[in-house]
Every structure is written in structure tokens, then in C-alpha cells.
Amino acid sequence: AQKVTQAQTEISVVEKEDVTLDCVYETRDTTYYLFWYKQPPSGELVFLIRRNSFDEQNEISGRYSWNFQKSTSSFNFTITASQVVDSAVYFCALSEGAARSGGSNYKLTFGKGTLLTVNP
Amino acid sequence: DAGVIQSPRHEVTEMGQEVTLRCKPISGHDYLFWYRQTMMRGLELLIYFNNNVPIDDSGMPEDRFSAKMPNASFSTLKIQPSEPRDSAVYFCASSLRRPNQPQHFGDGTRLSIL
């Protein structure tokens, strides 16, 4: 069965600090996809990134970067020079990649989330 | 472009009443998902549809919960009768047909059952 663990329940930093959110996953599939979502205080869920299991290149988007390491089953998320507006709950999620009967590759398994608070 | 639209944003009702949550997916998306979010259990998938047909409802907690998708632009999640433990935020999401495409979420409905 799939499982996503976000061990950090809450993180608090001061503005301009760098912060890394950890995500560890479990799956029996060799093909799978990983996602990060952001849930700001207003409550909506915002898609940030999708990464497939065959692409271990790190990705950078502005102040955001993602480090995917299959050897440790981790997909960590780093915010550089954090800002107050980054305060949110961040969720890591996993879906199976192979086409299966029943379409289970459309289902997302979410971690419990990490509450990030960036203080001014 | 319009995102996923859910209504109502907030619902407060008394135990035993019927509750209906509504969702309009993004136009052109073939998949629609209903999730429930609580502090204790996090985000849970309740049911999802492909081309208006329910594919997997294994996450629906009880027979009191039902979901329909009469057409490509509308879905409902109904709870009858409602109970206080159903209090949660209910999200609807939609995605394109290809597997593992990002799911785009609505703003959610915050449901409180008194």
C-alpha cells in the first residue's frame, strides 16, 4: 500500500530563513508520481509541482526547489528566503504510475501535512 | 479560466438533516474527486468519477453518504442523515483524463453539524 510521511508537523522560522519540508514515501510501484500542494490560511489547496519516478533531476522555481532522491524515497521541498506569505500547510502526495484496472493511478495519497509559519 | 467551483462555502445544520454539497469541475476535465479533510484523519479520498461514472467509492464512510454526477459539469455529495462526526471540510477536485495529472481543487465546503 502507498504511504506518505511528513514527519514535521509544524515548523516555525523567521522571515528570510531557508526552510526544508521533508517527505518520505512508500510504494511497491516502480512508476509513480509525487506532488506538493500548498494550503494557505484561506483554506484552498494549490498545486505546486508534479514529479515522476523516472526524473530525479532537482527542480527550481523561483524561491522554491525540490529534491527527489529515489535511494531514500524522499521528495523534499525547500523554500529559500522565506516570506510571511509562505505561511501555509504543505502537503506531499503520491499516486501510482502504472495503468491498472480500476484506474488506481488517478488516486492521490496525501501526507498529514506540515504547518509552516514564517514570522516577520 | 474558472477553477473548480464548490457551493456552499459554509454550511451549518442540525444533526439529522440532509446536506447536499455541490461541485462544478473545470471544463474539459474528465475526472472528478471528492475529498474530506479533518484534523484527525487529514485528507481522505471519498469517491471519484470518470466521465460521470463512479469508479471507486471505497472511501465513502457509510451508506449515509452518496455522490452523483448527472453530467460533465456538475456533481453532488449528499449526507442523509447528517451526524456531528461528519463535520469537516469537503473538497472537490478535477483533473484531465491522462493518468497522474495534477488535481485542481475547489475552495472547499466547511460543514458543521450541530
Side-chain angles (χ1 to χ4, degrees):
Chain A
Q2 299 180 126
K3 185 178 178 182
V4 176
T5 301
Q6 296 180 254
Q8 304 149 308
T9 306
E10 294 186 35
I11 299 175
S12 182
V13 299
V14 177
E15 207 169 18
K16 298 184 182 177
E17 283 185 32
D18 298 347
V19 58
T20 296
L21 310 181
D22 298 333
C23 173
V24 174
Y25 61 91
E26 295 176 29
T27 178
R28 289 175 292 184
D29 285 353
T30 55
T31 303
Y32 50 88
Y33 289 76
L34 295 160
F35 302 78
W36 276 94
Y37 283 83
K38 174 182 179 179
Q39 187 174 38
S42 50
E44 70 273 24
L45 278 157
V46 179
F47 164 71
L48 294 178
I49 190 172
R50 179 188 71 155
R51 175 54 55 87
N52 73 58
S53 54
F54 295 110
D55 183 2
E56 287 194 72
Q57 275 195 328
N58 292 335
E59 182 155 341
I60 298 175
S61 176
R63 296 184 296 107
Y64 294 173
S65 61
W66 290 269
N67 180 268
F68 175 33
Q69 293 194 344
K70 287 180 75 170
S71 60
T72 56
S73 297
S74 65
F75 186 43
N76 296 337
F77 174 28
T78 297
I79 301 175
T80 303
S82 60
Q83 299 177 1
V84 173
V85 294
D86 296 328
S87 297
V89 180
Y90 291 86
F91 291 94
C92 181
L94 167 71
S95 73
E96 296 171 336
R100 292 171 182 271
S101 61
S104 60
N105 50 316
Y106 293 90
K107 295 170 66 171
L108 280 177
T109 299
F110 283 88
K112 295 291 188 187
T114 297
L115 172 61
L116 172 66
T117 302
V118 181
N119 299 297
Chain B
D1 290 341
V4 175
I5 299 172
Q6 291 186 246
S7 63
R9 288 297 310 275
H10 303 274
E11 174 90 10
V12 181
T13 191
E14 292 188 348
M15 182 175 67
Q17 297 297 307
E18 178 178 290
V19 173
T20 299
L21 310 181
R22 297 173 177 79
C23 175
K24 176 180 169 57
I26 294 173
S27 177
H29 282 191
D30 299 276
Y31 282 81
L32 183 139
F33 306 81
W34 282 101
Y35 289 86
R36 179 172 67 176
Q37 185 179 33
T38 61
M39 288 295 294
M40 291 296 295
R41 301 174 67 91
L43 273 160
E44 303 173 279
L45 177 65
L46 300 177
I47 184 171
Y48 76 95
F49 296 82
N50 175 24
N51 289 330
N52 315 336
V53 176
I55 302 299
D56 185 344
D57 65 355
S58 59
M60 296 285 262
E62 301 173 34
D63 291 345
R64 299 183 296 106
F65 285 70
S66 62
K68 293 182 180 179
M69 192 165 185
N71 58 62
S73 58
F74 183 65
S75 176
T76 60
L77 178 68
K78 189 172 293 188
I79 308 172
Q80 166 63 21
S82 57
E83 296 183 4
R85 60 193 166 118
D86 301 331
S87 298
V89 180
Y90 290 81
F91 286 100
C92 176
S94 69
S95 72
L96 289 169
R97 181 182 182 189
R98 295 185 303 280
N100 311 112
Q101 291 300 303
Q103 293 178 20
H104 297 273
F105 285 76
D107 289 343
T109 295
R110 184 173 295 276
L111 177 64
S112 297
I113 308 297
L114 307 177

